[in-house]
Amino acid sequence: MKKKLLTIVFLTIFISLFGQSKDKRLDGLEQEIVNWMEKYNAVGLSVAIVENDKVLFNKGFGYRDLESKKPTTKNTIFPIASCSKAFTASILGMLESEGRISLTDRPARYIPTIQFNTTEMNASISISDLLSHKSGLGNVNGTLVLFPENNRLKMMERLRYIKPEGKVKESSIYSNIAYTVAGTIIEEVTNKSWEANIQHRIFEPLEMTSSFTSLEDVLKTDDFSFGYGLYQNEIKKVNFEQYYDYKPGGGIRSTTKDLSKWMLAWINDGRYKEVQVIPKDYVKKARKFYNSRDGEDEPSLFLQGYGLGWRVEARDGEYRVQHGGNTSGFSTLVVTYPFRKFGISILVNQDDSILPYIIADIVQNRILGRKSVSDYPIIVSDIYQPKEMIESMNNEKPPSKSLAFFEGVYEHKGYGKIKIEDDKLYAIYPTYKFFLEHLHYDIFVMKPLEDVSDIFNPEFAVNFQMDENGEISSFTMNLQSEPIEFIRKGNE
């Protein structure tokens, strides 16, 4: 409660010092943002609003570093998470406008080593399917987070062993790994890294001087935000998500000042300061409806789906092109109204929060002259917090073998290798080491031995299996909708 009060005091001082926006439609907006930050127990937030060819509003609120009481500004760098997808898709749109690719091509035309799990996938998946979540690949976050690769081409070699989560062109399953494939296509076509393409083709022409694809580079600056989450309404600092080889799906870090330039290009047919940064034809193509999106029916929302790197929807009679993002310690949103020519970006250092959507709705109602709403819900999911580890065995339902029999190296070719070792059983991944807490019989639960970024609950059940000779031969984990089997390869 003391931290919340300090935040509110700071925000009140901020408003009194810097005043209100000159645009009458935004009178009182800053206080409204402060009020909602208080309700959400949020640490810091930054907002940009653009219209036609101008920035109407761009300010920061609260703290980027709660412990040191460092303020959030319009120049504070946040991870933008999945808002990065539109950047990756735009590079492919540029390459198509240059005649170097077609979005209807299959990925194998540009990545000779790629092979999907089924003949249908190999024959049917197009680049646009990857960008609009129609590939059927699914999210497969387990392989991206727990088994990262330094080389994206090596990740491509794993895809033949990963079963699809849905049917090509008939499913709508959000997929980060599809954007890893998209980023690899960019690299193969240009002979330059995805990171270099983002820097030279987007950041530089849009003058996005405080935007980065490297966490290490961000940490060298003097104005970046730490990430926070709530656990039982207490504010907790959390680790950054690394992104490794799946940066094309979420690895950009930026500011609302820089994102205002990105939005200005999108609401002006790809032009920024008289320069055509994003091809006009691609801007129109990206904002079209390619794939339906699952969601609850709402009276005000009668169409929702995916474009290319964007979510598209008709809400309250307005056509919106937007994308949100969630990463460890941060929630983000970039939303544009192409026919109204305005856009809003909100970056919040609060994990798994809908606060950006509330702020966007408040701004939308002001810009469009609609009645204000005050009864928004307060929805913030608790972050993962590890429970106390239990080292003793469940003696009522003991393992079938002594623990030494479970040791060894286990492999799934689509994911990677896990080493099970030591007398108390530990699971060693390329990125993390977990203690295997005994649950019952031959089932154990992974418990992290170090702080992990709050991406997902890592406490997977590990279910060991025996062969016909009574030897431990494999184990399964629920890394996808169906259990994934890791085969014992010995003690290599």
Side-chain angles (χ1 to χ4, degrees):
M1 182 60 71
K2 183 178 179 181
K3 291 178 179 178
K4 183 188 289 187
L5 290 173
L6 285 171
T7 303
I8 296 167
V9 168
F10 171 79
L11 291 169
T12 304
I13 293 171
F14 183 95
I15 291 172
S16 66
L17 287 175
F18 291 91
Q20 300 289 311
S21 167
K22 294 179 181 180
D23 192 307
K24 294 297 183 183
R25 294 172 296 178
L26 303 181
D27 282 353
L29 174 62
E30 294 180 30
Q31 186 59 56
E32 200 166 3
I33 292 172
V34 170
N35 293 342
W36 279 103
M37 288 184 68
E38 177 185 355
K39 291 176 183 179
Y40 265 74
N41 206 3
V43 176
L45 181 150
S46 189
V47 183
I49 306 168
V50 299
E51 187 177 43
N52 296 320
D53 60 352
K54 295 180 180 179
V55 178
L56 294 183
F57 183 97
N58 192 191
K59 291 186 178 180
F61 300 81
Y63 299 115
R64 61 183 176 88
D65 182 342
L66 182 59
E67 184 179 18
S68 301
K69 301 297 181 290
K70 294 179 180 178
T72 303
T73 72
K74 65 183 180 182
N75 296 309
T76 299
I77 303 164
F78 290 72
I80 69 169
S82 287
C83 296
S84 306
K85 288 181 170 65
F87 288 77
T88 297
S90 294
I91 300 293
L92 289 166
M94 294 174 190
L95 293 175
E96 184 176 56
S97 74
E98 296 166 7
R100 301 173 73 178
I101 70 165
S102 169
L103 295 178
T104 60
D105 286 338
R106 291 181 296 163
R109 180 168 182 176
Y110 308 102
I111 311 174
T113 58
I114 197 171
Q115 185 177 331
F116 297 108
N117 187 256
T118 69
T119 301
E120 181 185 12
M121 294 175 78
N122 288 323
S124 303
I125 292 176
S126 68
I127 297 173
S128 65
D129 291 333
L130 298 172
L131 302 180
S132 57
H133 304 294
K134 293 172 66 175
S135 68
L137 280 169
N139 220 345
V140 202
N141 272 346
T143 190
L144 295 171
V145 177
L146 296 173
F147 304 93
E149 289 282 5
N150 293 324
N151 185 321
R152 292 188 182 99
L153 283 176
K154 291 183 179 179
M155 177 60 70
M156 300 302 101
E157 294 173 5
R158 294 185 188 176
L159 292 176
R160 71 185 68 184
Y161 304 108
I162 296 178
K163 292 181 179 180
E165 296 274 77
K167 193 170 178 61
V168 182
K169 299 185 187 298
E170 295 180 18
S171 60
S172 178
I173 305 175
Y174 195 81
S175 181
N176 280 322
I177 202 166
Y179 272 79
T180 304
V181 178
T184 307
I185 293 169
I186 291 170
E187 294 182 332
E188 292 299 287
V189 172
T190 65
N191 290 316
K192 295 180 181 177
S193 68
W194 170 84
E195 291 84 349
N197 274 280
I198 294 293
Q199 179 66 38
H200 298 312
R201 288 176 171 266
I202 297 180
F203 289 170
E204 290 176 5
L206 290 180
E207 302 175 325
M208 297 176 68
T209 56
S210 296
S211 296
F212 300 87
T213 56
S214 163
L215 175 59
E216 291 72 22
D217 289 343
V218 170
L219 299 180
K220 295 174 185 176
T221 70
D222 58 4
D223 195 353
F224 66 88
S225 179
F226 288 108
Y228 301 91
L230 293 183
Y231 184 74
Q232 299 180 352
N233 211 37
E234 288 294 319
I235 297 172
K236 304 281 187 180
K237 189 176 181 180
V238 300
N239 292 342
F240 290 107
E241 185 173 359
Q242 292 289 340
Y243 280 98
Y244 301 108
D245 47 358
Y246 59 106
K247 284 182 182 180
I252 291 174
R253 292 163 170 87
S254 189
T255 70
T256 54
K257 182 179 179 180
D258 277 4
L259 289 175
S260 68
K261 302 166 185 177
W262 172 242
M263 291 190 296
L264 284 171
W266 275 94
I267 64 175
N268 288 286
D269 296 324
R271 293 180 68 81
Y272 175 74
K273 290 188 175 180
E274 303 306 317
V275 176
Q276 193 73 44
V277 179
I278 308 166
K280 184 176 180 179
D281 287 347
Y282 173 74
V283 170
K284 293 180 178 179
K285 184 180 291 189
R287 298 191 301 213
K288 290 182 178 179
F289 186 90
Y290 285 77
N291 193 12
S292 63
R293 177 185 167 202
D294 293 335
E296 296 295 327
D297 292 333
E298 302 175 30
S300 62
L301 179 62
F302 52 87
L303 181 150
Q304 58 178 337
Y306 292 104
L308 303 178
W310 293 100
R311 288 173 169 165
V312 294
E313 60 186 34
R315 183 185 291 272
D316 296 317
E318 299 290 341
Y319 190 56
R320 302 194 342 167
V321 178
Q322 55 96 0
H323 212 296
N326 284 292
T327 182
S328 183
F330 300 89
S331 300
T332 64
L333 178 65
V334 176
V335 54
T336 63
Y337 298 75
F339 303 132
R340 295 283 192 165
K341 286 194 174 293
F342 81 93
I344 313 156
S345 290
I346 305 103
L347 305 176
V348 183
N349 56 12
Q350 184 175 66
D351 193 287
D352 208 1
S353 171
I354 69 164
L355 183 56
Y357 292 86
I358 291 173
I359 302 302
D361 201 60
I362 288 169
V363 172
Q364 170 199 268
N365 292 338
R366 286 172 170 273
I367 296 294
L368 298 179
R370 291 181 173 170
K371 183 179 179 180
S372 63
V373 178
S374 59
D375 60 345
Y376 297 105
I378 299 175
I379 302 176
V380 187
S381 300
D382 274 358
I383 61 173
Y384 166 75
Q385 293 285 278
K387 299 179 178 65
E388 181 181 355
M389 288 190 297
I390 300 172
E391 297 190 7
S392 60
M393 295 290 106
N394 180 349
N395 292 322
E396 293 183 359
K397 299 178 180 180
S400 60
K401 301 271 189 179
S402 66
L403 296 185
F405 283 87
F406 294 86
E407 293 185 16
V409 174
Y410 297 74
E411 182 181 21
H412 182 285
K413 291 183 178 180
Y415 286 81
K417 293 180 181 180
I418 303 172
K419 188 174 185 180
I420 307 295
E421 69 173 20
D422 292 343
D423 55 350
K424 290 183 180 179
L425 290 195
Y426 295 90
I428 302 174
Y429 293 77
T431 48
Y432 297 107
K433 183 176 181 178
F434 295 88
F435 171 67
L436 293 185
E437 180 180 287
H438 185 237
L439 184 61
H440 54 254
Y441 301 123
D442 291 343
I443 299 177
F444 297 75
V445 177
M446 289 168 33
K447 292 294 183 74
L449 295 175
E450 58 183 290
D451 289 339
V452 298
S453 58
D454 187 57
I455 307 165
F456 55 81
N457 185 333
E459 295 187 13
F460 293 110
V462 177
N463 187 353
F464 288 91
Q465 312 288 329
M466 285 192 293
D467 61 20
E468 64 274 12
N469 298 317
E471 299 292 334
I472 302 296
S473 59
S474 64
F475 66 74
T476 59
M477 293 173 59
N478 291 328
L479 291 176
Q480 288 184 259
S481 56
E482 295 182 3
I484 301 300
E485 185 178 33
F486 287 77
I487 305 297
R488 190 164 184 247
K489 311 299 287 187
N491 293 301
E492 56 189 76

